Amino acid sequence: MSNMIEVSDLQKSFGNLDVLKKVSFNIQAGEAVAVIGPSGSGKSTMLRSLVHLEEITGGSIFIQEKPLVENGKYASGASIREITASMGMVFQHFNLFPHLTVRGNLELAPRMLKRESVKEIMARSENLLSKVGLAEKADVYPAKLSGGQKQRVAIARALMLNPDILLFDEPTSALDPELTGEVLRVIRQLAEENMTMIVVTHEMNFARDVADRVIFMDKGEITESGTPEQIFDHPQQERTRMFLSQESRL
């Protein structure tokens, strides 16, 4: 299988603070990878660096074999835009435009890019809203939606540009527990369809059930990586064991 993402020796510093310390990993096509670990371990910074929302200090990121950044040197602006266009990102706080309807939120970026007809864009937005179970909310404004509905709209919006890779940054952490399940169901469905995904999450059951591989990060480093069974049932590192025992008590 081909690597969709290759990261080597990724470093990120804010002044004297090393947020990422030589992080390296690969993501294969069709793989769903969960990234877990305590708050402040660098998970979100690592994820955001893949789409150039964070500038890294050193290391390399290749997306579908194209260098986004190589040995700390970034590609040209045009190359960065082309490479990051193959990825969709879903944030913790939805980031929907309040002045646009649900349909308007989905169709804004494709209409601006003008790669296809308005008719095609409208057909796809209807299709994706059906997929996430919100077909009847197309003409509603975000203020009238629950948190879980907003996040499902955000996922549909990320899918509108037909990304090859989807990145999720704590997609359920801003939601009430009863709304979390409806969002995780959509992500689970995408995993079953072999969408290449990285999900930064604190939902341990979801990581165990849905991920092909789990990466554990702590203090800016990947300290352990393996199948859900390896990480949850047979963790090798003391830091992993301590984190999982704390999570199980919550």
Side-chain angles (χ1 to χ4, degrees):
M1 290 173 76
S2 60
N3 282 330
M4 296 290 274
I5 300 174
E6 295 176 48
V7 173
S8 55
D9 293 335
L10 201 63
Q11 294 169 270
K12 170 72 177 180
S13 303
F14 292 110
N16 295 327
L17 178 66
D18 293 329
V19 182
L20 297 174
K21 306 170 189 172
K22 298 213 165 184
V23 168
S24 300
F25 63 91
N26 295 335
I27 307 287
Q28 293 186 328
E31 195 175 22
V33 175
V35 182
I36 64 171
S39 296
S41 57
K43 305 183 300 292
S44 292
T45 302
M46 176 277 292
L47 196 73
R48 290 167 64 85
S49 70
L50 300 180
V51 284
H52 198 229
L53 290 174
E54 295 278 0
E55 291 257 341
I56 63 159
T57 314
S60 303
I61 300 171
F62 283 75
I63 306 293
Q64 299 187 75
E65 301 182 344
K66 295 175 184 165
L68 178 70
V69 53
E70 191 167 10
N71 297 322
K73 188 175 188 313
Y74 275 92
S76 69
S79 295
I80 289 172
R81 284 191 294 276
E82 182 192 339
I83 291 166
T84 55
S86 68
M87 293 182 278
M89 183 140 181
V90 178
F91 299 90
Q92 183 177 341
H93 291 292
F94 331 128
N95 293 8
L96 299 178
F97 293 109
H99 65 289
L100 295 177
T101 62
V102 166
R103 186 199 309 273
N105 268 279
L106 263 67
E107 295 178 3
L108 179 65
R111 285 178 186 243
M112 287 172 72
L113 290 168
K114 295 182 179 163
R115 288 183 196 148
E116 59 203 323
S117 71
V118 170
K119 193 173 175 184
E120 288 170 315
I121 292 169
M122 289 175 71
R124 194 160 69 258
S125 69
E126 286 177 19
N127 184 26
L128 285 171
L129 285 174
S130 294
K131 184 186 184 84
V132 300
L134 292 171
E136 77 287 357
K137 300 291 186 184
D139 298 311
V140 169
Y141 286 90
K144 294 276 200 281
L145 301 176
S146 71
Q149 289 170 333
K150 288 177 187 172
Q151 194 58 293
R152 284 186 283 154
V153 172
I155 294 171
R157 182 177 63 178
L159 290 167
M160 276 297 287
L161 295 175
N162 292 322
D164 299 316
I165 300 163
L166 263 187
L167 308 176
F168 294 88
D169 189 8
E170 297 275 14
T172 59
S173 63
L175 302 179
D176 295 334
E178 66 269 22
L179 300 177
T180 294
E182 65 190 53
V183 174
L184 295 180
R185 271 194 297 277
V186 173
I187 302 174
R188 184 189 299 266
Q189 183 186 346
L190 292 170
E192 288 167 358
E193 293 167 4
N194 294 321
M195 168 63 82
T196 305
M197 299 191 296
I198 305 178
V199 186
V200 170
T201 184
H202 62 278
E203 297 288 339
M204 295 302 123
N205 289 335
F206 173 75
R208 179 193 278 272
D209 294 345
V210 175
D212 299 304
R213 185 155 49 101
V214 177
I215 289 173
F216 177 76
M217 288 185 72
D218 188 29
K219 296 178 181 167
E221 299 175 293
I222 292 177
T223 58
E224 196 160 354
S225 175
T227 64
E229 185 189 19
Q230 286 170 322
I231 298 298
F232 289 106
D233 298 336
H234 310 287
Q236 301 297 303
Q237 304 292 327
E238 181 60 28
R239 280 191 275 179
T240 316
R241 286 196 285 272
M242 283 177 61
F243 173 76
L244 292 174
S245 70
Q246 287 168 345
E247 286 296 310
S248 66
R249 288 200 295 271
L250 292 178

